[in-house]
Amino acid sequence: MAPGSSVSGACPHDSLISKPSPYAAEAGYKQPPPSKLLAATLPSGRVPKSSETKSSTSSTHPIPGAFLAPLVLPGDDLAYDPKCPPQSLRSFIQEKARNPMTRKRSTIYVIGPPAVAKEVNFVDSWIHPSAEGAAKSTKLPEAEDIVSSLSAFYYPIPVKLYTEPLTFTAWSDDPKPKSKNKSKTKASPTPPQYIGLASTTSCTRIRCRPCPPTSPTSASPPIFPMQLHLSDLLDTLPPLLPADAYSILLLTHHDIYESPSDDFVCGRAYGGSRIAVVSSARYRPDLDQAHGVDASHAWPASHCKAYVESLCNAASSSSSSRAKPRRIPPSQDGEEEDEQQPPIPPTSPLSLALQAFKSPPSPISPLSSPAHYALHLHRLHRTSAHELGHTLGLDHCVYHACLMQGTASLAEDARQPPVFCAVCEGKVEWAVGGEFLGGERLRGERAREERLVRECERWGSGEGGGGWRAMGAWVRGRMEQGGIGAEEGGDGEGGVGVGARSGKGKRKRMVEGREVGVGVGVDDEGGIEIVDLT
């Protein structure tokens, strides 16, 4: 049974949390205070003095419920590494190993799953899971659809399909597969240790291994027959980078691993080399039960208070190492909200996302084939966008619930948002507005968001599209509340305006080297607000 299943399915998600879970403090994680969250969104890394900010404020409009704290639940990545070093916008800008995006080197290329040569046609069978409940045949995400969604998500960065063929083939140094028995009865050959991945100019050796069992004591068969080595797949990519490529992403439907101790991995990027690999294998909705994924509490329903409390209480009950295990009492009707968990307004981006997620048709199983495809594609899109973020130079995020958070399990993966937080959004927009566009103002500030909303509508209209509907509603919520492209803003006197927004609704303009225009401040309650600094 999936974790938190006691509140899954029919859970109404009546109350949402905006702060880290109660378990976060036990794990040693503490979200930075509002002033540091604000500083992390600014190129200078410093918050303007309160008196200066207040005196220059002509209009303020807070945007609550857009960027929430990381949940940090038992078994989450930040629970294992609560002191993970943060990367602010200032740190991002100053990172020497980062590859700036230029007009001549700006295109993201996506390589679709490689073809399979006839002599190794058994490799095709490796993408079919043997886990209980897995569909015998189902349509897998297509590279063209990932290119479409990434084109909207990373607009105006060009995203193109890589058209030169890649093919899995036999590796000449590998011994010929031997039959498992010497009888005349036809038997499956012993799987090879290596296969080749051939392009038009070269062939790379790819290590293979049998997929490990789900647990050492499990009598169930492995989820997939075989796995491919992630690092070997990555080694294929550097020679393939076109001259105009900023980065290149290889998609595969095969299960992958990185080290002998891995059960599996879903993706990896080497930012310095501008290469990434993502596997769709483990994101199949028909494998959710095997992986403990509660699809009814995927983002944004992952911030459901009852769900968070159930996971924290389960961890507290099962732990024998704590001297004083404590249970988290559920909220009572009519009880005042704890000041550490301020209420999330019903018109906030997260609330709108949750309403869209819950709206018919149902976002959870049983899924038809089209619904299976929409959900599978959404999960693959999210991880592809995450890994491409690493190629842009973004580290794992520790500030907010964010697309760039690290992930320790598929259950945590489903709980994380498919959108950037204020800090990471600022990094991408710095790279696009300040580097790729060479200091020119972005034309049509809402263009990216409008494209993304249309892409979400394309996949969110049917069953299984709850994640797409939620993402589209979140983006619309920010647009309506002024968080995206709220004001037009012009060039400064005698200067050139840069339309790169950085932070929660912050749009920065550079005039003769000075930052002017709309900024972000700290309000009287210690929260973040939008202020006019002109």
Side-chain angles (χ1 to χ4, degrees):
M1 184 174 291
S5 57
S6 60
V7 294
S8 64
C11 179
H13 319 300
D14 286 335
S15 180
L16 301 175
I17 68 169
S18 59
K19 297 292 184 180
S21 74
Y23 182 81
E26 297 182 28
Y29 173 82
K30 185 175 182 181
Q31 188 186 31
S35 60
K36 289 190 175 181
L37 292 176
L38 168 59
T41 69
L42 302 175
S44 65
R46 297 188 299 273
V47 180
K49 293 182 180 178
S50 178
S51 58
E52 295 176 358
T53 301
K54 293 298 179 183
S55 65
S56 62
T57 300
S58 60
S59 65
T60 63
H61 47 285
I63 308 176
F67 305 112
L68 307 185
L71 290 171
V72 194
L73 292 166
D76 281 1
D77 187 69
L78 276 174
Y80 290 123
D81 188 14
K83 305 301 181 184
C84 178
Q87 183 197 47
S88 65
L89 175 58
R90 183 171 184 267
S91 299
F92 171 82
I93 295 170
Q94 295 179 340
E95 177 56 59
K96 294 181 180 179
R98 185 171 61 86
N99 292 298
M101 182 173 286
T102 67
R103 288 184 183 273
K104 292 183 178 179
R105 196 179 69 182
S106 60
T107 302
I108 294 172
Y109 282 91
V110 177
I111 304 177
V116 177
K118 186 176 181 180
E119 68 265 23
V120 290
N121 58 6
F122 52 85
V123 172
D124 263 333
S125 68
W126 296 354
I127 68 173
H128 300 299
S130 52
E132 183 180 353
K136 296 299 181 184
S137 62
T138 184
K139 183 180 179 182
L140 300 176
E142 296 180 355
E144 290 82 359
D145 292 331
I146 289 293
V147 169
S148 178
S149 65
L150 291 174
S151 295
F153 188 83
Y154 276 111
Y155 180 83
I157 301 173
V159 181
K160 298 180 181 179
L161 187 66
Y162 187 86
T163 56
E164 294 185 18
L166 284 182
T167 305
F168 287 123
T169 186
W171 182 254
S172 58
D173 291 345
D174 197 44
K176 293 182 179 180
K178 297 179 180 179
S179 175
K180 292 182 179 179
N181 60 55
K182 295 183 179 180
S183 69
K184 294 183 180 180
T185 305
K186 186 176 180 181
S188 300
T190 302
Q193 293 180 320
Y194 313 108
I195 57 174
L197 181 53
S199 67
T200 55
T201 58
S202 63
C203 186
T204 303
R205 188 191 72 173
I206 309 296
R207 283 168 281 182
C208 316
R209 74 169 189 184
C211 184
T214 52
S215 69
T217 59
S218 175
S220 302
I223 291 182
F224 289 94
M226 294 287 288
Q227 296 177 317
L228 305 182
H229 198 280
L230 170 63
S231 296
D232 294 345
L233 294 172
L234 285 166
D235 287 344
T236 307
L237 301 181
L240 304 181
L241 279 164
D244 66 338
Y246 179 80
S247 60
I248 194 165
L249 166 69
L250 171 64
L251 302 176
T252 179
H253 294 319
H254 286 84
D255 201 25
I256 57 178
Y257 74 103
E258 190 170 19
S259 70
S261 60
D262 286 336
D263 289 336
F264 63 90
V265 292
C266 293
R268 179 74 71 204
Y270 291 163
S273 300
R274 299 176 287 133
I275 56 176
V277 169
V278 173
S279 166
S280 71
R282 299 282 173 155
Y283 289 125
R284 294 173 57 121
D286 50 340
L287 297 181
D288 282 358
Q289 183 176 0
H291 291 131
V293 174
D294 184 352
S296 70
H297 284 96
W299 183 89
S302 52
H303 288 267
C304 168
K305 191 171 185 179
Y307 172 67
V308 170
E309 289 172 348
S310 72
L311 294 182
C312 292
N313 287 335
S316 179
S317 299
S318 63
S319 174
S320 59
S321 60
R322 299 188 185 99
K324 295 181 179 180
R326 58 188 182 90
R327 294 186 66 80
I328 314 302
S331 300
Q332 302 297 320
D333 290 339
E335 180 179 318
E336 289 188 6
E337 290 285 339
D338 182 54
E339 101 179 337
Q340 295 300 314
Q341 291 289 352
I344 299 174
T347 57
S348 70
L350 185 77
S351 295
L352 295 174
L354 181 62
Q355 293 168 26
F357 179 80
K358 295 194 299 181
S359 65
S362 171
I364 58 174
S365 57
L367 295 175
S368 63
S369 181
H372 187 290
Y373 187 86
L375 180 53
H376 198 178
L377 181 69
H378 183 262
R379 294 171 175 179
L380 184 61
H381 161 84
R382 183 201 168 280
T383 298
S384 298
H386 172 100
E387 299 301 345
L388 287 172
H390 285 317
T391 68
L392 286 165
L394 278 68
D395 287 348
H396 281 154
C397 183
V398 301
Y399 293 106
H400 297 280
C402 176
L403 172 73
M404 292 309 298
Q405 280 183 262
T407 302
S409 67
L410 287 163
E412 181 183 10
D413 190 289
R415 293 192 290 260
Q416 293 179 351
V419 291
F420 291 121
C421 73
V423 181
C424 295
E425 183 180 77
K427 298 172 190 175
V428 174
E429 289 167 345
W430 180 276
V432 176
E435 295 175 344
F436 167 44
L437 297 182
E440 295 182 6
R441 274 191 61 205
L442 288 175
R443 300 288 181 182
E445 302 226 354
R446 297 165 71 103
R448 170 185 177 265
E449 288 70 31
E450 289 169 350
R451 281 171 167 78
L452 189 53
V453 166
R454 288 197 296 270
E455 192 71 17
C456 291
E457 289 173 347
R458 174 189 178 193
W459 297 109
S461 59
E463 183 189 12
W468 292 106
R469 292 195 298 274
M471 180 163 61
W474 187 93
V475 173
R476 282 193 298 269
R478 286 205 64 211
M479 293 170 70
E480 292 167 1
Q481 295 194 13
I484 296 174
E487 295 135 45
E488 286 301 318
D491 295 346
E493 183 178 351
V496 178
V498 179
R501 287 167 282 108
S502 149
K504 190 177 292 188
K506 176 177 181 283
R507 195 159 37 77
K508 177 179 63 61
R509 291 189 293 119
M510 299 297 294
V511 180
E512 297 178 349
R514 296 180 294 109
E515 292 183 21
V516 299
V518 179
V520 193
V522 180
D523 62 23
D524 293 329
E525 307 298 326
I528 295 177
E529 64 183 13
I530 310 302
V531 298
D532 188 349
L533 299 179
T534 50

